[in-house]
Amino acid sequence: MSIEVVQADKVMDARNAFCPGPLMELIKSIKKGEVGKVYEVWSKDAGSIKDIPKWVAKASHEMISIIEENGYTRFQVRKMR
Amino acid sequence: MGKYIIVCSEGSFDKLQTAALVASGAIMNDHSVVMFFMHDAVWAMHKSNPSMNLRTNSTYPEVTEKVEKARAEGKLVLWDSILEDLKDIGELEIIVCAQIAEILDLSKDDFLPLVDQVAGVATLTEEAADADHVISF
């Protein structure tokens, strides 16, 4: 999945963290953030591919893009509520 | 949103880390969690003990070795840090068993700041009475 790539308002580099590090970084930023802003987390953790989109859907935010880079993945999420 | 009770009675790193990971899964999915620490796990909550306590019950030396390597490289968020983060993002209450605290001559101030209260098993069973899931480690 890579539909739209936007400029993120905040980027969290969690490539050095295993599960649940990347998702927790994303959640912490989104909880403290503003509605409408885009948050991007970078992860090398294999579980993030399933866990992050699942959490985003359940939390009713918008999964904008999942971008595969060389050895890691960028997840772009818009805070919706 | 549901409610999880997680009872921790063992103080080894692997059990505490597993309990913290399960708590993280619940909190990240918007459930509330009450963690009740008993027996050896009470000692693990002592201010001076947390991240220093890396003893595991692993059957396999390879597991211990690789986990230790991940920890040394800073890739593994340790259980006490996970619990601190969870308090920031969700509803997590941490209770230490009053009986063991008394036996060990420890009061609330002797524990990590993330401990909310020292209480008896009646508090645990009261919390568990309306919980959706009870898990023990």
Side-chain angles (χ1 to χ4, degrees):
Chain A
M1 171 190 172
S2 180
I3 303 163
E4 178 193 5
V5 180
V6 299
Q7 181 69 42
D9 294 289
K10 184 177 180 186
V11 176
M12 291 79 68
D13 185 351
R15 286 176 293 177
N16 198 38
F18 286 124
C19 170
L23 180 52
M24 280 184 63
E25 287 300 318
L26 178 65
I27 293 174
K28 277 194 286 185
S29 292
I30 285 184
K31 291 232 171 190
K32 291 174 187 165
E34 292 174 41
V35 172
K37 300 279 186 188
V38 175
Y39 297 87
E40 178 173 323
V41 63
W42 298 357
S43 174
K44 289 171 84 172
D45 167 52
S48 294
I49 287 286
K50 283 188 177 176
D51 289 352
I52 290 179
K54 198 171 176 182
W55 178 81
V56 170
K58 185 168 182 186
S60 302
H61 298 300
E62 181 191 354
M63 187 82 247
I64 301 170
S65 299
I66 300 175
I67 308 144
E68 292 294 341
E69 300 285 1
N70 187 19
Y72 69 100
T73 308
R74 295 163 53 201
F75 299 86
Q76 295 193 321
V77 180
R78 181 174 283 114
K79 178 173 170 138
M80 300 300 287
R81 61 180 179 85
Chain B
M1 180 173 140
K3 178 178 178 182
Y4 281 70
I5 304 291
I6 299 178
V7 181
C8 304
S9 61
E10 296 199 30
S12 63
F13 172 78
D14 49 309
K15 291 292 173 87
L16 294 164
Q17 188 75 6
T18 304
L21 285 173
V22 171
S24 76
I27 296 276
M28 288 190 292
N29 282 297
D30 266 350
H31 300 297
S32 67
V33 175
V34 175
M35 297 184 80
F36 196 87
F37 287 74
M38 306 178 79
H39 210 70
D40 270 11
V42 170
W43 190 246
M45 295 302 279
H46 190 284
K47 271 180 189 168
S48 64
N49 282 338
S51 300
M52 291 158 48
N53 171 21
L54 297 172
R55 282 172 294 222
T56 73
N57 286 328
S58 177
T59 307
Y60 306 106
E62 293 84 354
V63 173
T64 303
E65 185 187 324
K66 287 185 186 293
V67 168
E68 172 59 26
K69 183 170 179 283
R71 189 198 63 80
E73 291 171 350
K75 293 179 176 176
L76 189 64
V77 185
L78 301 182
W79 62 272
D80 50 314
S81 297
I82 292 175
L83 297 182
E84 278 176 25
D85 282 346
L86 293 180
K87 288 214 155 211
D88 276 348
I89 64 174
E91 198 179 326
L92 170 64
E93 182 175 14
I94 296 182
I95 305 172
V96 161
C97 172
Q99 183 208 53
I100 300 297
E102 195 172 339
I103 289 170
L104 298 174
D105 198 24
L106 299 174
S107 62
K108 187 174 179 301
D109 290 343
D110 295 313
F111 295 111
L112 295 173
L114 51 83
V115 171
D116 294 293
Q117 59 170 319
V118 177
V121 286
T123 300
L124 167 63
T125 51
E126 186 61 24
E127 291 285 351
D130 67 348
D132 301 289
H133 309 279
V134 178
I135 304 171
S136 68
F137 291 96

PDB file of all heavy atoms in Angstrom, chain A residues 16-18 20 23-24 27-28 31 55 58, chain B residues 21 24 28-30 70 73-75 85 89:
ATOM      1  N   ASN A  16      15.276   1.561  15.702  1.00  0.00           N
ATOM      2  CA  ASN A  16      16.133   0.813  16.628  1.00  0.00           C
ATOM      3  C   ASN A  16      15.324   0.085  17.701  1.00  0.00           C
ATOM      4  O   ASN A  16      15.889  -0.445  18.654  1.00  0.00           O
ATOM      5  CB  ASN A  16      17.127   1.773  17.294  1.00  0.00           C
ATOM      6  CG  ASN A  16      18.288   1.022  17.900  1.00  0.00           C
ATOM      7  OD1 ASN A  16      18.767   0.052  17.331  1.00  0.00           O
ATOM      8  ND2 ASN A  16      18.728   1.451  19.075  1.00  0.00           N
ATOM      9  N   ALA A  17      14.006   0.057  17.553  1.00  0.00           N
ATOM     10  CA  ALA A  17      13.180  -0.541  18.608  1.00  0.00           C
ATOM     11  C   ALA A  17      12.397  -1.739  18.105  1.00  0.00           C
ATOM     12  O   ALA A  17      11.845  -1.720  17.010  1.00  0.00           O
ATOM     13  CB  ALA A  17      12.216   0.503  19.151  1.00  0.00           C
ATOM     14  N   PHE A  18      12.375  -2.759  18.940  1.00  0.00           N
ATOM     15  CA  PHE A  18      11.511  -3.896  18.661  1.00  0.00           C
ATOM     16  C   PHE A  18      10.083  -3.566  19.106  1.00  0.00           C
ATOM     17  O   PHE A  18       9.839  -2.580  19.799  1.00  0.00           O
ATOM     18  CB  PHE A  18      11.979  -5.134  19.442  1.00  0.00           C
ATOM     19  CG  PHE A  18      13.233  -5.759  18.895  1.00  0.00           C
ATOM     20  CD1 PHE A  18      14.353  -5.948  19.692  1.00  0.00           C
ATOM     21  CD2 PHE A  18      13.292  -6.191  17.575  1.00  0.00           C
ATOM     22  CE1 PHE A  18      15.497  -6.538  19.189  1.00  0.00           C
ATOM     23  CE2 PHE A  18      14.429  -6.785  17.066  1.00  0.00           C
ATOM     24  CZ  PHE A  18      15.539  -6.957  17.880  1.00  0.00           C
ATOM     25  N   PRO A  20       6.938  -3.462  21.342  1.00  0.00           N
ATOM     26  CA  PRO A  20       5.930  -2.580  20.771  1.00  0.00           C
ATOM     27  C   PRO A  20       6.412  -1.141  20.564  1.00  0.00           C
ATOM     28  O   PRO A  20       5.596  -0.233  20.457  1.00  0.00           O
ATOM     29  CB  PRO A  20       4.835  -2.619  21.844  1.00  0.00           C
ATOM     30  CG  PRO A  20       5.603  -2.674  23.124  1.00  0.00           C
ATOM     31  CD  PRO A  20       6.841  -3.496  22.818  1.00  0.00           C
ATOM     32  N   LEU A  23       4.941   1.266  17.560  1.00  0.00           N
ATOM     33  CA  LEU A  23       3.521   1.598  17.744  1.00  0.00           C
ATOM     34  C   LEU A  23       3.324   2.487  18.965  1.00  0.00           C
ATOM     35  O   LEU A  23       2.524   3.430  18.951  1.00  0.00           O
ATOM     36  CB  LEU A  23       2.684   0.317  17.864  1.00  0.00           C
ATOM     37  CG  LEU A  23       1.179   0.498  18.072  1.00  0.00           C
ATOM     38  CD1 LEU A  23       0.554   1.423  17.051  1.00  0.00           C
ATOM     39  CD2 LEU A  23       0.468  -0.846  18.071  1.00  0.00           C
ATOM     40  N   MET A  24       4.079   2.223  20.017  1.00  0.00           N
ATOM     41  CA  MET A  24       3.938   3.059  21.207  1.00  0.00           C
ATOM     42  C   MET A  24       4.384   4.488  20.933  1.00  0.00           C
ATOM     43  O   MET A  24       3.779   5.447  21.419  1.00  0.00           O
ATOM     44  CB  MET A  24       4.694   2.450  22.386  1.00  0.00           C
ATOM     45  CG  MET A  24       3.904   1.326  23.032  1.00  0.00           C
ATOM     46  SD  MET A  24       4.616   0.604  24.489  1.00  0.00           S
ATOM     47  CE  MET A  24       4.623   1.964  25.601  1.00  0.00           C
ATOM     48  N   ILE A  27       1.514   6.092  19.052  1.00  0.00           N
ATOM     49  CA  ILE A  27       0.359   6.370  19.915  1.00  0.00           C
ATOM     50  C   ILE A  27       0.641   7.565  20.826  1.00  0.00           C
ATOM     51  O   ILE A  27      -0.198   8.451  20.995  1.00  0.00           O
ATOM     52  CB  ILE A  27      -0.020   5.122  20.745  1.00  0.00           C
ATOM     53  CG1 ILE A  27      -0.540   4.011  19.821  1.00  0.00           C
ATOM     54  CG2 ILE A  27      -1.075   5.470  21.786  1.00  0.00           C
ATOM     55  CD1 ILE A  27      -0.803   2.691  20.516  1.00  0.00           C
ATOM     56  N   LYS A  28       1.841   7.593  21.404  1.00  0.00           N
ATOM     57  CA  LYS A  28       2.180   8.703  22.310  1.00  0.00           C
ATOM     58  C   LYS A  28       2.076  10.039  21.578  1.00  0.00           C
ATOM     59  O   LYS A  28       1.527  11.006  22.098  1.00  0.00           O
ATOM     60  CB  LYS A  28       3.606   8.521  22.862  1.00  0.00           C
ATOM     61  CG  LYS A  28       3.668   7.586  24.057  1.00  0.00           C
ATOM     62  CD  LYS A  28       4.992   7.688  24.785  1.00  0.00           C
ATOM     63  CE  LYS A  28       6.116   7.038  24.033  1.00  0.00           C
ATOM     64  NZ  LYS A  28       7.386   7.019  24.756  1.00  0.00           N
ATOM     65  N   LYS A  31      -1.674  10.854  20.647  1.00  0.00           N
ATOM     66  CA  LYS A  31      -2.490  11.247  21.813  1.00  0.00           C
ATOM     67  C   LYS A  31      -2.219  12.683  22.214  1.00  0.00           C
ATOM     68  O   LYS A  31      -3.117  13.394  22.665  1.00  0.00           O
ATOM     69  CB  LYS A  31      -2.196  10.305  22.985  1.00  0.00           C
ATOM     70  CG  LYS A  31      -2.704   8.898  22.738  1.00  0.00           C
ATOM     71  CD  LYS A  31      -3.568   8.365  23.862  1.00  0.00           C
ATOM     72  CE  LYS A  31      -4.199   7.054  23.434  1.00  0.00           C
ATOM     73  NZ  LYS A  31      -5.213   6.565  24.336  1.00  0.00           N
ATOM     74  N   TRP A  55      -4.157  -0.895  14.482  1.00  0.00           N
ATOM     75  CA  TRP A  55      -4.438   0.080  15.540  1.00  0.00           C
ATOM     76  C   TRP A  55      -5.036   1.357  14.955  1.00  0.00           C
ATOM     77  O   TRP A  55      -5.993   1.913  15.500  1.00  0.00           O
ATOM     78  CB  TRP A  55      -3.159   0.415  16.328  1.00  0.00           C
ATOM     79  CG  TRP A  55      -3.456   1.457  17.373  1.00  0.00           C
ATOM     80  CD1 TRP A  55      -4.011   1.250  18.607  1.00  0.00           C
ATOM     81  CD2 TRP A  55      -3.301   2.879  17.239  1.00  0.00           C
ATOM     82  NE1 TRP A  55      -4.192   2.454  19.245  1.00  0.00           N
ATOM     83  CE2 TRP A  55      -3.770   3.472  18.438  1.00  0.00           C
ATOM     84  CE3 TRP A  55      -2.797   3.698  16.235  1.00  0.00           C
ATOM     85  CZ2 TRP A  55      -3.750   4.847  18.651  1.00  0.00           C
ATOM     86  CZ3 TRP A  55      -2.787   5.073  16.445  1.00  0.00           C
ATOM     87  CH2 TRP A  55      -3.260   5.636  17.643  1.00  0.00           C
ATOM     88  N   LYS A  58      -8.650   0.786  14.170  1.00  0.00           N
ATOM     89  CA  LYS A  58      -9.457   0.649  15.380  1.00  0.00           C
ATOM     90  C   LYS A  58      -9.611   1.984  16.097  1.00  0.00           C
ATOM     91  O   LYS A  58     -10.668   2.277  16.668  1.00  0.00           O
ATOM     92  CB  LYS A  58      -8.824  -0.378  16.324  1.00  0.00           C
ATOM     93  CG  LYS A  58      -9.683  -0.622  17.521  1.00  0.00           C
ATOM     94  CD  LYS A  58      -9.276  -1.804  18.332  1.00  0.00           C
ATOM     95  CE  LYS A  58     -10.287  -1.921  19.475  1.00  0.00           C
ATOM     96  NZ  LYS A  58      -9.978  -2.925  20.422  1.00  0.00           N
TER      97      LYS A  58
ATOM     98  N   LEU B  21       4.433  -6.589  28.088  1.00  0.00           N
ATOM     99  CA  LEU B  21       4.053  -6.622  26.669  1.00  0.00           C
ATOM    100  C   LEU B  21       2.557  -6.873  26.504  1.00  0.00           C
ATOM    101  O   LEU B  21       1.904  -6.243  25.669  1.00  0.00           O
ATOM    102  CB  LEU B  21       4.854  -7.694  25.922  1.00  0.00           C
ATOM    103  CG  LEU B  21       6.313  -7.345  25.623  1.00  0.00           C
ATOM    104  CD1 LEU B  21       7.042  -8.539  25.032  1.00  0.00           C
ATOM    105  CD2 LEU B  21       6.399  -6.170  24.653  1.00  0.00           C
ATOM    106  N   SER B  24       0.790  -3.829  27.295  1.00  0.00           N
ATOM    107  CA  SER B  24       0.902  -2.834  26.214  1.00  0.00           C
ATOM    108  C   SER B  24      -0.110  -3.125  25.111  1.00  0.00           C
ATOM    109  O   SER B  24      -0.740  -2.212  24.576  1.00  0.00           O
ATOM    110  CB  SER B  24       2.323  -2.770  25.651  1.00  0.00           C
ATOM    111  OG  SER B  24       2.608  -3.872  24.810  1.00  0.00           O
ATOM    112  N   MET B  28      -2.880  -0.382  24.236  1.00  0.00           N
ATOM    113  CA  MET B  28      -2.849   0.187  22.893  1.00  0.00           C
ATOM    114  C   MET B  28      -4.179  -0.040  22.162  1.00  0.00           C
ATOM    115  O   MET B  28      -4.494   0.650  21.212  1.00  0.00           O
ATOM    116  CB  MET B  28      -1.671  -0.374  22.093  1.00  0.00           C
ATOM    117  CG  MET B  28      -0.337   0.186  22.601  1.00  0.00           C
ATOM    118  SD  MET B  28       1.080  -0.182  21.566  1.00  0.00           S
ATOM    119  CE  MET B  28       1.247  -1.934  21.760  1.00  0.00           C
ATOM    120  N   ASN B  29      -4.941  -1.026  22.617  1.00  0.00           N
ATOM    121  CA  ASN B  29      -6.263  -1.253  22.036  1.00  0.00           C
ATOM    122  C   ASN B  29      -7.370  -0.649  22.887  1.00  0.00           C
ATOM    123  O   ASN B  29      -8.530  -1.063  22.813  1.00  0.00           O
ATOM    124  CB  ASN B  29      -6.489  -2.754  21.827  1.00  0.00           C
ATOM    125  CG  ASN B  29      -5.772  -3.249  20.591  1.00  0.00           C
ATOM    126  OD1 ASN B  29      -6.081  -2.820  19.483  1.00  0.00           O
ATOM    127  ND2 ASN B  29      -4.798  -4.121  20.766  1.00  0.00           N
ATOM    128  N   ASP B  30      -6.979   0.314  23.718  1.00  0.00           N
ATOM    129  CA  ASP B  30      -7.934   1.107  24.502  1.00  0.00           C
ATOM    130  C   ASP B  30      -8.639   0.351  25.615  1.00  0.00           C
ATOM    131  O   ASP B  30      -9.723   0.749  26.043  1.00  0.00           O
ATOM    132  CB  ASP B  30      -8.987   1.760  23.586  1.00  0.00           C
ATOM    133  CG  ASP B  30      -8.565   3.161  23.198  1.00  0.00           C
ATOM    134  OD1 ASP B  30      -7.586   3.666  23.784  1.00  0.00           O
ATOM    135  OD2 ASP B  30      -9.213   3.752  22.321  1.00  0.00           O
ATOM    136  N   ALA B  70      20.034  -7.814  22.423  1.00  0.00           N
ATOM    137  CA  ALA B  70      19.058  -6.787  22.006  1.00  0.00           C
ATOM    138  C   ALA B  70      18.968  -5.694  23.057  1.00  0.00           C
ATOM    139  O   ALA B  70      18.873  -4.508  22.745  1.00  0.00           O
ATOM    140  CB  ALA B  70      17.690  -7.428  21.786  1.00  0.00           C
ATOM    141  N   GLU B  73      22.024  -3.463  22.935  1.00  0.00           N
ATOM    142  CA  GLU B  73      22.001  -2.582  21.756  1.00  0.00           C
ATOM    143  C   GLU B  73      20.903  -1.526  21.855  1.00  0.00           C
ATOM    144  O   GLU B  73      20.722  -0.716  20.944  1.00  0.00           O
ATOM    145  CB  GLU B  73      21.792  -3.423  20.486  1.00  0.00           C
ATOM    146  CG  GLU B  73      23.006  -4.299  20.151  1.00  0.00           C
ATOM    147  CD  GLU B  73      22.703  -5.287  19.024  1.00  0.00           C
ATOM    148  OE1 GLU B  73      21.517  -5.421  18.640  1.00  0.00           O
ATOM    149  OE2 GLU B  73      23.658  -5.922  18.541  1.00  0.00           O
ATOM    150  N   GLY B  74      20.130  -1.559  22.946  1.00  0.00           N
ATOM    151  CA  GLY B  74      19.089  -0.555  23.153  1.00  0.00           C
ATOM    152  C   GLY B  74      17.852  -0.779  22.307  1.00  0.00           C
ATOM    153  O   GLY B  74      17.029   0.118  22.147  1.00  0.00           O
ATOM    154  N   LYS B  75      17.697  -1.990  21.762  1.00  0.00           N
ATOM    155  CA  LYS B  75      16.546  -2.261  20.901  1.00  0.00           C
ATOM    156  C   LYS B  75      15.335  -2.768  21.681  1.00  0.00           C
ATOM    157  O   LYS B  75      14.237  -2.846  21.153  1.00  0.00           O
ATOM    158  CB  LYS B  75      16.907  -3.304  19.842  1.00  0.00           C
ATOM    159  CG  LYS B  75      17.929  -2.811  18.839  1.00  0.00           C
ATOM    160  CD  LYS B  75      18.259  -3.907  17.851  1.00  0.00           C
ATOM    161  CE  LYS B  75      19.212  -3.403  16.782  1.00  0.00           C
ATOM    162  NZ  LYS B  75      19.624  -4.469  15.862  1.00  0.00           N
ATOM    163  N   ASP B  85       5.535   4.232  30.049  1.00  0.00           N
ATOM    164  CA  ASP B  85       4.925   4.752  28.820  1.00  0.00           C
ATOM    165  C   ASP B  85       3.422   4.481  28.781  1.00  0.00           C
ATOM    166  O   ASP B  85       2.635   5.321  28.349  1.00  0.00           O
ATOM    167  CB  ASP B  85       5.574   4.116  27.580  1.00  0.00           C
ATOM    168  CG  ASP B  85       6.927   4.741  27.274  1.00  0.00           C
ATOM    169  OD1 ASP B  85       7.230   5.804  27.840  1.00  0.00           O
ATOM    170  OD2 ASP B  85       7.669   4.162  26.459  1.00  0.00           O
ATOM    171  N   ILE B  89      -0.186   6.814  28.068  1.00  0.00           N
ATOM    172  CA  ILE B  89      -1.097   6.718  26.924  1.00  0.00           C
ATOM    173  C   ILE B  89      -2.420   6.029  27.240  1.00  0.00           C
ATOM    174  O   ILE B  89      -3.324   6.026  26.404  1.00  0.00           O
ATOM    175  CB  ILE B  89      -0.439   6.003  25.717  1.00  0.00           C
ATOM    176  CG1 ILE B  89      -0.110   4.543  26.035  1.00  0.00           C
ATOM    177  CG2 ILE B  89       0.799   6.743  25.264  1.00  0.00           C
ATOM    178  CD1 ILE B  89       0.397   3.774  24.822  1.00  0.00           C
TER     179      ILE B  89
END
